Amino acid sequence: MSSGKVGKGSTHRNESIPPGDAAPLKSADGYAWQSLLNAADDLEQAARTIAAILSQHLEYDFFEINMLDISTGVLSPYRVHSPTLDTESAGRLLDGYRLGQGFTGWLVENRTPLLIEDLHNTHEFKPAVDHQSLPLHSYLGLPIHENGDLIGTIEIAHQEVGKYTQDDIETFGRVRDAVALKLANLQKTRDLQATRLLAGIQRELLDQIKHFQQPDRMVSGLGDVILEHFEVNWLSFLIYNPGSKNLETIPPRSSQAASGIYQLTIPSPPTSAFSSIWNTQDYWIVNHLQEDELVGRMDLGNDLEAMDVERFMLAPLIAEEDRFGIILLGSGINTKPFGEEQGALLGMIASVCGPLLKFALEGEQNERNEIERSRSHPQRSSYTNALLQITGELAASMDLDHLLIRVLTMLRQSVGADQGAFLLTAPDTDVLILRASSGSFPAPPPGGRATSFRAGQGLAGWVIQNRIAVCIGDLSDDERWVPFDDESPKQHSALVAPLIVSEQILGVVVLLGHVKHAFTDTDLELVSVAANQIAPAIHNAQLYHLIQDQAERLGLALRTHQVEASQSQAVLHAMTDGVIVTDPSHRILVFNPAAELILGMPRTEMLGQPVFEIFSNFGESGKEINEQLQTWRDRGASARSRNLPPRRIHTEQSRVLAVQPAPVVLGDDFLGTITIVRDITRDVEVDRMKSEFVATVSHELRSPITPIKGFVDLMRMGVPGEITEEQAHYLEIIYKNIHRLEMLVDDLLDISRIEAGKVVLSFQALNIEQLLDELEKYIDHRSKTEGKQMAFQATMEADLPDIWGDAERVRQILTSLVDNSFDYTPEGGNISVEAHQVEDQVEIAVGDNGMGIAVDEQEKIFERFYRGEQALIMGVAGAGLGLSIALTMVEMHGGRIWVNSAGIPGKGSTFTVSLPITTPNSKPEKVVRKQ
Amino acid sequence: MITILVADDEKHIRDLVEITLEQNDYLVLAAADGESALELATRERPALALLDIRMPKMDGYEVCRQIKRDPAIAHMPVVFISAKAQEDEIQMGYAAGAQDYLLKPFDMEDLLLRVKRLLG
């Protein structure tokens, strides 16, 4: 927003958000915006789209994007008003402004966000006339950067006081960052279009040079060109008359053009008011004549008013640093106010017109000189032809190399030079590049060849440094002259003119003669004028290439970005898991269709909302999720993704959802969170069915095993009568296999209970010595009943504290380990159990000197149904469930279990279990294995 | 002779328990469903009842509850013999008033030990 000169009564209305653009955005997520934004063809359209995007996040009554034109320093506004704002008063804002004006200028200069609670009550930033004239109070503005360059500003304002907070800066910043690349790209495109337009205008203007002998005709011609590009009803070329000290209008000749060209005489300096116009740098705009004090003091108002002029705009006419006049444009009250961009364009037109007009004004004088020159040098072409040809070339060609050679050839012919060259400065260094040559110079390759000269070195270097055209009659007398090629001994006279565009030196044009005093001052003048004409063409061509390069690079980057964005979007849309992405302040940025479906919440309503609203409906689990999300926000960048288990929530439609939130951290920045929501209703159901099935199988197997086992028992007890030894042996085999089947059924049941979360531990203090005694008795019993000799030693550290565990489950764990040792150690082996304390745990190591476990099997033995190679060799019965169950039980106790084995038969293996000791803090509790 | 009631819908299991107990000098009353089991328990007042849970007409839990509700026989020890191995199922057995719960398949020796213990 500007706080510059503002008048009243403007009829220029700003557009509010068109409903057609806003509607699709309402239902779009972050990626959809990107594609909408990408579809914007120009800055105006982009600004409207961004305004709509922003309205999803922040409320505003006024929205403005200002794009900076680096070459002119003008900020062009693209703004959108809320329909609630009175557009009549909104129209009072300026159309564009320069650096340093208002908040926009402040943002550009300070490059930091600006938050103002009340525009009507701010003293730091004045004058804020335009803001105070509007019902706007809160203001928030940010500079826009792309790739480190400042490209503009983005600003909003609201009718309420204190509407915006620090959080809003963050939100605003994210929208800004998301759109910066697109804006930069559109800006480049606009610059390119502007350059082309300017090149076109320049060619049209230069075309008028054919009238240079008749200034009045030229004025008509130039006027026609200008009137074509500006919507004005009044135009004057005012030329300073040193005799009368007035600015006097050149009366146009053509009556057609004259209809818009007025005659005007302005008293010139020393009128102090006028001196501010006269000394104006580039251009000057007055949009409201009657309100402008300066105009009033100049006593200009009445004249202009008489011509129905309400606004005017002027630019100085300068030739060879001589300010000799102004171009003045005026328009009526019913026209749009002049914008800064128009001012800049007029400034550039004036800089092209200046030398032409000056040359035309001096035409008669020149022509007289020409006649004299033609007499003394009949071989030379007339200036008329030379300049006409140059003009023709400029109009015809955008190919710089071709153009320069043609111009050199013509200049050589015109001034009678033997050699000619364009030496241009390289963009980044001060090395001079030989860009084009004519005569006996070796032609440089396209794009030029670096010379050994730098700015300040040699005659060309001197001209570049001093920006003065020189004519040297005898090079041998000139200290600045440095011979530079084989032809140098022949070179005796030189004409060197600087090529300058808006204060920027581009290089020099050099013409050399093989005789002394080959050139006159008139030749110098011609070459200088030609140089002034050519310089913008060189500048434009260079700029054109630069912009084209940048546009291509940006285009490529944008395409890559678009491809990536559309891929991400496609992935998000196709996912069956709900994805919810938030910004650092937990507002929802992405809510994919799956999330919409699973949570039953419309995306349009969720976008921009705090993510907490989603989960607050889901009881305790939802609360935990929200607490977790909140923690990440509070911890900011230090929030690292820990592998948290997904949480289950139950919806009102009795569906079960698994929710997995995670922070998104890049480097030191906390960027937000991503939450995956999966409908696991079916999985939970399948899980339940599986457990039920296993329980049923276990039950159904128990029933038939009962009579088999029972009757075998009866037979072994001799109830039906005496049995033979062989019969007894067979019965033993049956009995053992029934036992095996029984164990399998028990293990299956355990597994199903673990999976169903039905295993509940009852904790109590357990005495280690007692546990070890039981193990010894158990192995002793197995040894006797199975007739397999096995030694057993139990040792323990003195004063070992009790462990804190479930008696039955700890026995199950330890029994399972000594069972394995017993099974995998051949007869006559040895089992040792050793217990000691390590910090707050007791480690119980069960070792043997049996078959051992191969190293590559050691990881797998804790998996379900895994049976090692040795199980087959040793003929050990089992389903491979024992260690898997033991592992789960140990973990439920908060302990660990691991194995050491060299995998060498006879060296055996050692399983170690660590279980927590009983401490004063140990409290009876139920531990259920969570999913 | 001490009388023990055995109720199980599976004939082979009834036979097995009957033989084992008779071998150890108990008198056995056998029932194939819950209703007959309750009828026998009420009428014959055995010293102890071994009840399956899943039975036709009336399940073991209900038989047990009815026994415990009848003051005349409420003192009778009840032992469930069942393939139901889930913790909640076992809990329900004790909640119905049973003194013991024997999971199928069981050792005959174990059965005899428990019976002896309950009969003092």
Side-chain angles (χ1 to χ4, degrees), chain A residues 7 11 146 160 180 201 279 323 348 367 395 448 512 628 631 681 721 728:
Chain A
T11 53
E146 176 56 27
E160 275 174 40
I201 293 175
N279 292 326
R323 200 175 287 253
M348 282 187 250
E367 200 148 7
L512 298 165
Q628 182 62 66
T631 308
T681 312

Side-chain angles (χ1 to χ4, degrees), chain A residues 13-29:
Chain A
R13 280 167 192 258
N14 293 285
E15 289 163 88
S16 52
I17 307 167
D21 279 8
L25 270 163
K26 266 197 99 93
S27 63
D29 60 28

Side-chain angles (χ1 to χ4, degrees), chain A residues 373-624:
Chain A
R373 278 160 52 85
S374 296
R375 264 185 226 126
S376 53
H377 306 283
Q379 79 280 10
R380 291 180 184 177
S381 309
S382 74
Y383 284 175
T384 316
N385 284 340
L387 285 172
L388 275 178
Q389 278 176 345
I390 290 170
T391 305
E393 288 299 332
L394 285 174
S397 174
M398 276 299 272
D399 177 354
L400 188 62
D401 292 296
H402 176 72
L403 174 72
L404 295 180
I405 290 167
R406 298 283 299 150
V407 169
L408 274 183
T409 309
M410 287 182 283
L411 283 177
R412 267 182 59 219
Q413 285 169 3
S414 302
V415 303
D418 296 294
Q419 290 174 288
F422 276 99
L423 292 169
L424 303 185
T425 53
D428 301 324
T429 66
D430 55 356
V431 173
L432 294 182
I433 308 286
L434 176 65
R435 187 60 195 261
S437 64
S438 174
S440 49
F441 277 128
R449 185 180 67 229
T451 66
S452 55
F453 291 105
R454 287 167 176 272
Q457 292 173 348
L459 192 56
W462 187 92
V463 170
I464 284 173
Q465 226 168 32
N466 295 279
R467 302 187 173 203
I468 296 168
V470 292
C471 175
I472 313 291
D474 187 354
L475 286 171
S476 56
D477 273 358
D478 200 296
E479 286 174 4
R480 295 167 296 194
W481 173 248
V482 178
F484 61 93
D485 68 357
D486 298 344
E487 297 277 324
S488 291
K490 288 192 242 161
Q491 297 158 350
H492 291 286
S493 18
L495 272 179
V496 186
L499 300 160
I500 300 172
V501 171
S502 34
E503 312 277 301
Q504 191 191 344
I505 181 104
L506 303 175
V508 289
V509 54
V510 180
L511 291 156
L512 298 165
H514 289 175
V515 294
K516 288 181 183 177
H517 304 288
F519 310 119
T520 64
D521 282 351
T522 322
D523 291 334
L524 180 65
E525 200 176 325
L526 171 73
V527 172
S528 295
V529 170
N532 283 345
Q533 285 179 37
I534 297 153
I538 295 171
H539 181 67
N540 285 344
Q542 286 176 342
L543 205 63
Y544 180 81
H545 283 294
L546 189 74
I547 288 168
Q548 202 169 35
D549 272 5
Q550 277 175 338
E552 264 169 32
R553 256 187 304 123
L554 278 164
L556 192 68
L558 194 70
R559 265 197 302 282
T560 314
H561 181 77
Q562 277 171 340
V563 167
E564 281 169 5
S566 60
Q567 278 172 347
S568 308
Q569 196 181 355
V571 168
L572 276 174
H573 276 252
M575 272 179 86
T576 52
D577 285 351
V579 177
I580 303 160
V581 179
T582 72
D583 62 19
S585 54
H586 286 303
R587 287 189 187 276
I588 298 169
L589 292 177
V590 174
F591 198 81
N592 76 344
E596 197 171 23
L597 193 72
I598 292 170
L599 292 163
M601 299 174 181
R603 187 163 47 158
T604 43
E605 287 176 23
M606 298 319 294
L607 284 178
Q609 296 299 312
V611 71
F612 307 118
E613 284 191 9
I614 297 177
F615 300 112
S616 57
N617 300 326
F618 297 114
E620 200 56 37
S621 308
K623 219 172 112 189
E624 284 175 24

Side-chain angles (χ1 to χ4, degrees), chain A residues 18 106 126 131 161 188 191 216 243 278 309 355-356 537 547 559 620 639 697 708 752 775 808 867 919 928:
Chain A
W106 190 94
K126 47 185 179 180
H131 303 125
V161 175
K188 298 287 175 201
D191 286 352
D216 52 351
W278 186 242
V309 168
L356 297 176
I547 288 168
R559 265 197 302 282
E620 200 56 37
V697 165
I708 299 172
S752 80
L775 288 180
E808 194 187 326
R867 301 200 68 212
T919 67
V928 179

